[in-house]
Amino acid sequence: MSDSNIIVAEHLVKQFQEKVAVNDVSLHIGQRELLVLVGPSGCGKTTTLRLLAGLEPVTSGKIQFGDRLVNEIRPKDRNIAMVFQDYAIFPHMTVFENIAYGLRSRHTAGSIIKERVPNAAKMFRIDHLLKRKPRQLSGGERQRVALARALVRDADLYLYDEPLANLDAQLRHQAREDILLLHREKEKPSVYVTHDQSEAMALGDRIAVMRDGKIQQIGTGTELYDRPLSEFVAFFIGTPSINLFDAELKAEEDAIDLITSSFTLRLPVEMHEKVQEAIGKRVNLGIRPEDLQSPKSAQFPVSEENTIHGMVNVIEPTSAGCTVYLSMLEDEPKDFVATFKARLPASYIGREVPLAVNRRKMHLFDQETGRSLLYG
Ligand SMILES: Nc1ncnc2c1ncn2[C@@H]1O[C@H](COP(=O)(O)OP(=O)(O)OP(=O)(O)O)[C@@H](O)[C@H]1O
Ligand SMILES: [Mg+2]
């Protein structure tokens, strides 16, 4: 493929009997881009990768590598390296032979294999295991064999299907760094599947959020986080998840209020125009945990108009501050979460505290469609 070329998938559909696993997915992947596909189990991530790899025929839609239509091209002629969700390493071959497999099947010279295989194994810290068979390896080691086998090759497209799921936290971070380094070195398009949104944020140049076979939104991590087009994306991206409150939008003289069963917040003027159609209706108000701050340490103006109250149930220390689990005091307690940049002493548990809301960062969603009123 020439340098400027990209991978293009247009209106991909994959139907298994009555199940539509991939439903009108379009993706453009840049030459040096690492695109992450993220979404809940069963949303169609693996199927999308298998369509790109040619392991499943498409029901309809087009796949192009550069200006070449590859729909009818066999997997082995697409020059793709793939790390499978279930590793798919060969049980009867040693680790060395497993890693060398793709190189041998492309008739790579023995001298190159001898040099590259140990290097790839070293990168993933399995160079001491080259003589073993897969059954003599732990799950995490097998996973790293699968990674080394795919990344030892020069391919036109790299596909990763949850390649780090079985690694402990430390190895996962290391392997993530290694994948990023290799990706930058190879400068080839890559698609990386995960259901872990923090991994998606850490790795993706762009992230595509999938649900029920469809792409909900594609953008950089920051775009998805700050300007989600739907409640689903807002909820899926970010940990702890965004807090959602059932609210009514009510017009006052020259103000608009958000009224929930436990608090009222005044809407920032710059949001007025966007919500005109929804005045008088119920909406879901979204507030990210870090946009709820202790009034004393808030980095935005605090007044009665943006202060709410909650009872502290649990305080979880984090590296720099803490995550505070609270509930609203009402008939049916409503739980919500705040992340503070400073520690809160345990003596606060069971007490009611004021919280300042960073109103400019609030989100509003149509209760019926789940669409954002503010973005899109
Ligand atoms: N060969 C098949 N025959 C029938 N249904 C299938 C087949 N492969 C996948 N499906 C269905 O298609 C949907 C998408 O599956 P897919 O494996 O793509 O999901 P996924 O997003 O990778 O999920 P996970 O995160 O659990 O790996 C699921 O409902 C699954 O049951
Ligand atoms: Mg899968």
Side-chain angles (χ1 to χ4, degrees), residues 40-47 49 85 161-162 193 195:
S41 186
C43 71
K45 304 181 295 294
T46 296
T47 308
L49 284 195
Q85 191 166 11
D161 198 354
E162 311 218 18
V193 162
H195 60 254

Side-chain angles (χ1 to χ4, degrees), residues 86 105 152 171 196 266 317 372:
D86 58 2
S105 64
V152 75
L171 273 176
D196 175 350
R266 191 137 282 188
S372 170

Side-chain angles (χ1 to χ4, degrees), residues 6 37-38 47 55 58 85 91 98 126 129 135 145 164 186 222 224 242 267 299 302 313 324 331 347 374:
I6 48 173
L37 275 184
V38 70
T47 308
L55 299 168
V58 301
Q85 191 166 11
N98 260 292
I126 44 173
L129 304 172
R135 71 184 138 74
V145 174
L164 310 183
K186 290 180 189 286
T222 319
L224 297 185
I242 193 167
L267 202 69
Q299 302 92 335
V302 178
N313 297 322
V324 189
D331 297 342
S347 57
L374 302 178

Side-chain angles (χ1 to χ4, degrees), residues 31-324:
Q31 179 61 41
R32 294 175 187 79
E33 188 173 36
L34 197 159
L35 178 81
V36 173
L37 275 184
V38 70
S41 186
C43 71
K45 304 181 295 294
T46 296
T47 308
T48 303
L49 284 195
R50 292 177 60 81
L51 294 176
L52 291 174
L55 299 168
E56 297 281 356
V58 301
T59 304
S60 60
K62 257 184 11 184
I63 303 175
Q64 258 176 257
F65 288 8
D67 40 25
R68 187 166 70 125
L69 184 72
V70 300
N71 283 38
E72 305 301 330
I73 309 269
R74 288 177 305 170
K76 94 180 209 336
D77 299 326
R78 293 193 189 185
N79 198 21
I80 284 169
M82 180 158 175
V83 187
F84 292 88
Q85 191 166 11
D86 58 2
Y87 332 131
I89 53 178
F90 303 110
H92 58 284
M93 287 185 195
T94 62
V95 169
F96 186 100
E97 284 308 322
N98 260 292
I99 298 174
Y101 179 79
L103 295 172
R104 284 212 203 286
S105 64
R106 279 172 177 74
H107 312 293
T108 309
S111 55
I112 295 180
I113 293 179
K114 266 198 196 122
E115 185 195 318
R116 280 213 202 166
V117 169
N119 279 344
K122 200 163 176 193
M123 176 134 217
F124 292 101
R125 284 161 283 271
I126 44 173
D127 44 326
H128 57 297
L129 304 172
L130 286 171
K131 294 201 173 98
R132 292 216 199 148
K133 295 275 179 65
R135 71 184 138 74
Q136 300 165 305
L137 303 177
S138 74
E141 286 162 350
R142 274 177 227 168
Q143 193 149 46
R144 282 176 283 154
V145 174
L147 268 170
R149 180 181 59 182
L151 294 170
V152 75
R153 281 196 42 230
D154 290 321
D156 287 331
L157 171 64
Y158 290 83
L159 303 174
Y160 304 85
D161 198 354
E162 311 218 18
L164 310 183
N166 277 296
L167 304 184
D168 64 39
Q170 206 187 348
L171 273 176
R172 189 154 63 227
H173 279 105
Q174 271 172 5
R176 239 188 230 171
E177 289 306 307
D178 294 339
I179 288 172
L180 268 183
L181 268 174
L182 275 169
H183 171 71
R184 298 219 174 101
E185 208 173 277
K186 290 180 189 286
E187 302 197 320
K188 287 292 159 68
S190 303
V191 185
Y192 187 103
V193 162
T194 177
H195 60 254
D196 175 350
Q197 59 83 35
S198 59
E199 192 159 286
M201 296 289 269
L203 281 172
D205 293 316
R206 285 185 308 153
I207 301 172
V209 181
M210 276 189 91
R211 178 194 201 183
D212 294 340
K214 283 185 184 289
I215 292 187
Q216 301 290 303
Q217 189 172 351
I218 303 188
T220 63
T222 319
E223 275 164 10
L224 297 185
Y225 192 81
D226 292 342
R227 295 188 294 283
L229 301 181
S230 62
E231 189 177 306
F232 179 80
V233 171
F235 196 78
F236 198 78
I237 301 287
T239 40
S241 287
I242 193 167
N243 298 295
L244 293 166
F245 302 94
D246 176 24
E248 187 194 337
L249 272 171
K250 189 151 184 260
E252 300 297 337
E253 270 171 37
D254 45 5
I256 300 175
D257 281 338
L258 275 163
I259 303 174
T260 77
S261 53
S262 10
F263 59 84
T264 298
L265 286 172
R266 191 137 282 188
L267 202 69
V269 176
E270 61 265 30
M271 292 181 186
H272 280 196
E273 213 186 296
K274 299 267 171 65
V275 304
Q276 286 307 319
E277 307 263 297
I279 285 178
K281 292 193 190 149
R282 305 208 70 82
V283 295
N284 282 344
L285 160 66
I287 306 175
R288 295 221 179 259
E290 73 271 20
D291 295 324
L292 287 168
Q293 288 293 315
S294 158
K296 281 188 222 122
S297 56
Q299 302 92 335
F300 46 86
V302 178
S303 71
E304 239 175 56
E305 284 184 358
N306 68 337
T307 302
I308 66 173
H309 292 83
M311 170 135 100
V312 178
N313 297 322
V314 174
I315 302 171
E316 251 175 38
T318 55
S319 48
C322 60
T323 305
V324 189

